[in-house]
Amino acid sequence: VTVVTQNIDGLHKVAGSSRVVELHGTDQTCTCMACRETFPQAEVVKQWMALPEATRRLGPEEDGFVPCCPKTDTCSGVLKADVTFFGEALPTGALARATGAVLGSSVCIVVGTSLNVAPANLVPGLVKARWGKLIVCNLDESGKDQADVFLQGRATQTLPRLLEAVRTAAAAAPRRPAPCTVS
């Protein structure tokens, strides 16, 4: 199973998913805009915590805080979160990995997205290029027109119903004989 997400919080990995494509990057790391070295986001928090308390109490517009590369002896670059801002390109390879995962699947399950943000909104429908099925679970009717199966409601309610339906169908399906081997 590959999880393709537009979320940047890293929670899919924390939850134990091992194959995660983060289409819009991650807020768990940041990169120096000058030397291109990557650092844990904790570096930004450390720098912010080093500010005087009165400055930290100000809003982001007033505090003047700009996270800097910690390699102060060799670099004076600014740290940018490794997330995709509006107008920026997706992380290198992310769209290709997402597309590959969907094209290699017979079913694509989409949960909790408006399917309005391009190019991410194009990825789920690619499963149909392989005559696969698209299942969409959403609070509203987003994705209903594209879906082979549409479940409206909270994911905490629709996903358990979907799992139970798959288990029931699998139990009722005839067992296929083991493939023949010749030695």
Side-chain angles (χ1 to χ4, degrees), residues 5 9 25-27 32 35 43 63 68 74 93 150 159:
T5 183
D9 55 21
T26 178
D27 67 357
C32 175
C35 71
E43 176 60 35
D63 67 11
C68 298
T74 60
F150 181 78
L159 291 178

Side-chain angles (χ1 to χ4, degrees), residues 20-41:
V20 179
V21 179
E22 296 168 315
L23 280 177
H24 292 156
T26 178
D27 67 357
Q28 304 301 298
T29 58
C30 53
T31 298
C32 175
M33 300 302 289
C35 71
R36 307 304 301 160
E37 189 165 334
T38 300
F39 300 93
Q41 193 64 18

Side-chain angles (χ1 to χ4, degrees), residues 3 10 13 17 33 41 57 65 73 78 85 88 93 97 104-105 111 123-124 151 161 165 169 173 180-182:
V3 175
K13 289 179 180 177
S17 297
M33 300 302 289
Q41 193 64 18
R57 289 181 186 220
F65 175 65
D73 55 331
V78 173
F85 291 111
E88 292 182 328
R97 287 191 309 278
S105 301
V111 181
V123 174
L151 302 169
R161 286 194 341 245
C180 177
T181 58
V182 177

Side-chain angles (χ1 to χ4, degrees), residues 43-67:
E43 176 60 35
V44 174
V45 174
K46 179 178 128 187
Q47 290 181 27
W48 187 79
M49 289 302 293
L51 293 172
E53 186 175 345
T55 303
R56 290 196 320 260
R57 289 181 186 220
L58 299 172
E61 299 84 24
E62 297 101 25
D63 67 11
F65 175 65
V66 177

